């Protein structure tokens, strides 16, 4: 995980005096190694950041190393155990991956810096919460992306819908109007469990809960979670999405590009693939946040994105935290959001993308964002995901309570299995 370029810099002159014994280059500079993931930031952004960082931190040099997502978990785990010059000082990790690295004991506790210097109270919950364990902060939010509703402006106008819905009830009513004349009101695959998660969270439910320290239980059978599944069922029925497949089978961008779908739940960047396939849709597409139960706030959404972490085995913590401070700070958060159409890491920075319709819709939803349960074993749930099978069975007419209980039992088993 050599992503995040910014990994190392002494934040104040007082800290600089503590760095004298650290590794140096021939020029007397200390090198901070940062692992960032492929495509998280453009080459142009990284060039600008590096030049500015090294200009304002003359004693530090950045060594940014781009990593591939495939196999990154094992590579990071190995790096967290090393004690040599190849150890990265700052690593970009997926927000839902932080738990497994904390569980291994390989990350630095950044609680003090988070509270004192980095404005922890304003962070997006979907990035901050997965990086927090107890009262301690290990993962520092870098950027976010989440689902919005991509819609056909022309089909909305033809149906007499003058503005996007702001409540779930209105969303259902509008989608019913759009589901006519050979058009699908919405294309929603039956196993889009990320979208389902948002509806469950809106109802006050969750996918799993920590019953006691380190002991997780699946909770799809709770009344709140069942209400979320029922809303999903009603919405999904207003289109022809396959009940036994997820959004990638077939790829939903291709389905939407055929021109007979009014809405899609996806990240805004999917529009690029849609318009490449069907250029006639250019300028006909718009975005709005997933509606909430009331108009007071958008609906909850799964927040994806990345956090920055500092390995315990770094030999330059001051440099590493300086890089994190720069990358997570307002200046470069604003620059990254505008360059990459991301959501900045703080709710107070949402205005940075106000001029971009898709990013602005994401930012509005991100304020209600959540992440998957922060169990180190959550990856085992996703590997053979019982939530998908549960959704298909309910959409095919099986009893929701019965199937939810069975799926919750499988989630509980997966979260208890540590491979021992």
């Amino acid at each position: 995980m050599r992503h995040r370029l910014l990994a190392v810099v002494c934040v104040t002159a007082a800290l600089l005096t503590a760095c004298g014994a650290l590794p140096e280059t021939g020029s007397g500079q200390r090198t901070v190694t940062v692992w960032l993931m492929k495509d998280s930031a453009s080459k142009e952004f990284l060039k600008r950041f590096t030049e500015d960082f090294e200009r304002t931190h003359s004693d530090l040099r950045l060594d940014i190393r781009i990593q591939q997502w495939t196999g990154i978990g094992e590579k990071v785990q190995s790096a967290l155990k090393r004690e040599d010059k190849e150890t990265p000082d700052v690593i970009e990790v997926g927000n839902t991956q932080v738990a497994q690295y904390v569980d291994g004991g390989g990350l630095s506790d950044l609680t003090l810096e988070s509270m004192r210097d980095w404005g922890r109270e304003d962070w997006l919950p979907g990035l901050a919460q997965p990086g927090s364990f107890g009262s301690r902060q290990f993962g520092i939010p870098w950027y976010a992306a989440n689902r919005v509703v991509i819609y056909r402006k022309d089909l909305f106008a033809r149906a007499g819908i003058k503005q996007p819905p702001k409540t779930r009830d209105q969303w259902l009513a509008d989608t019913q109007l759009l589901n006519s004349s050979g058009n699908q009101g919405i294309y929603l695959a039956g196993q889009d469990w990320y979208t389902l998660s948002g509806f469950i969270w809106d109802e006050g439910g969750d996918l799993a809960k920590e019953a006691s320290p380190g002991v997780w239980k699946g909770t799809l059978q709770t009344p709140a979670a069942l209400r979320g599944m029922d809303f999903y069922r009603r919405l999904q029925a207003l289109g022809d999405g396959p009940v036994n497949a997820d959004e990638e089978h077939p790829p939903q961008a291709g389905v939407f590009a055929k021109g007979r779908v009014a809405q899609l739940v996806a990240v805004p960047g999917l529009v690029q693939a849609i318009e490449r396939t069907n250029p006639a849709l250019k300028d006909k597409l718009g975005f709005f946040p997933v509606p909430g139960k009331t108009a007071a706030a958008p609906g909850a959404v799964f927040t994806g994105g990345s956090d920055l972490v500092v390995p315990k085995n770094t030999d330059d913590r001051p440099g590493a935290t300086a890089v994190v401070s720069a990358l997570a700070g307002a200046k470069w958060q604003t620059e990254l959001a505008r360059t990459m159409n991301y959501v900045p890491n703080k709710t107070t920075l949402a205005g940075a993308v106000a001029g971009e319709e898709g990013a602005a819709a994401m930012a509005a939803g991100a304020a209600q964002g959540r992440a998957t349960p922060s169990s180190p074993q959550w990856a085992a749930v996703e590997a053979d995901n019982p939530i998908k099978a549960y959704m298909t069975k309910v959409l095919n007419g099986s009893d929701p309570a019965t199937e939810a209980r069975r799926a919750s039992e499988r989630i509980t088993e997966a979260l208890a299995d540590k491979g021992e």
Side-chain angles (χ1 to χ4, degrees), residues 1-9 31-37 46 49-50 53-54 60-67 85-93 142 307-311 314 316 319-324 327:
M1 284 220 159
R2 300 184 168 192
H3 29 9
R4 312 220 168 191
L5 287 175
L6 319 168
V8 175
V9 164
T31 297
V32 176
T33 301
V34 181
W35 284 9
L36 297 179
M37 301 309 298
L46 295 180
F49 175 80
T50 299
F53 184 82
E54 292 182 349
L60 296 173
R61 185 181 73 85
L62 290 179
D63 178 11
I64 299 171
R65 304 182 185 182
I66 304 302
Q67 307 297 308
K85 293 182 179 180
E86 292 302 310
T87 299
D89 301 293
V90 175
I91 302 175
E92 172 193 353
V93 301
W142 191 28
D307 282 10
L308 299 172
V309 299
V310 174
T314 176
D316 192 352
T321 55
V323 169
V324 173
L327 283 176

Side-chain angles (χ1 to χ4, degrees), residues 345-407:
N345 63 2
K346 291 182 177 180
T347 57
T348 52
L349 295 175
V353 293
E356 296 289 338
E357 186 182 358
M362 272 202 304
Q368 314 300 321
R370 297 275 297 274
T372 50
S374 56
S375 164
Q377 271 64 56
W378 184 257
V381 175
E382 295 191 27
D384 185 21
N385 199 327
I387 305 173
K388 289 184 173 184
Y390 157 63
M391 296 171 73
T392 293
K393 289 177 180 178
V394 172
L395 296 177
N396 276 327
S398 295
D399 177 60
T402 300
E403 299 302 338
R405 185 177 65 255
R406 290 172 177 166

Side-chain angles (χ1 to χ4, degrees), residues 90-207:
V90 175
I91 302 175
E92 172 193 353
V93 301
N95 62 322
T96 61
Q97 296 176 336
V98 180
Q100 61 184 294
Y101 304 133
V102 173
D103 191 52
L107 299 185
S108 295
D109 184 343
L110 301 173
T111 307
L112 175 61
E113 293 89 343
S114 298
M115 299 177 66
R116 182 189 63 196
D117 305 322
W118 297 339
R120 178 182 182 182
E121 65 277 4
D122 294 323
W123 284 342
L124 295 176
L127 293 182
Q129 290 170 359
S132 177
F133 296 84
S135 60
R136 297 187 295 167
Q137 193 75 39
F138 296 89
I140 308 306
W142 191 28
Y143 69 83
N146 51 266
R147 288 161 175 76
V148 301
V149 183
I150 301 171
Y151 75 104
R152 288 276 302 274
K153 294 180 178 180
D154 56 330
L155 295 183
F156 268 56
R158 196 179 305 167
I161 303 170
K162 296 182 179 180
Q163 61 182 15
K166 292 187 176 181
T167 68
R168 290 194 341 198
D169 286 344
Q170 189 61 52
W171 193 17
L172 284 174
D174 289 348
T175 304
Q176 180 73 62
L177 285 176
L178 293 160
N179 193 43
S180 61
S181 303
N183 294 322
Q184 297 184 55
I186 189 168
Y187 181 84
L188 186 59
Q191 296 182 351
D192 186 352
W193 70 279
Y194 284 121
T195 296
L196 169 65
S197 298
F199 301 153
I200 289 175
W201 293 326
D202 261 354
E203 294 290 348
D206 214 327
L207 308 178

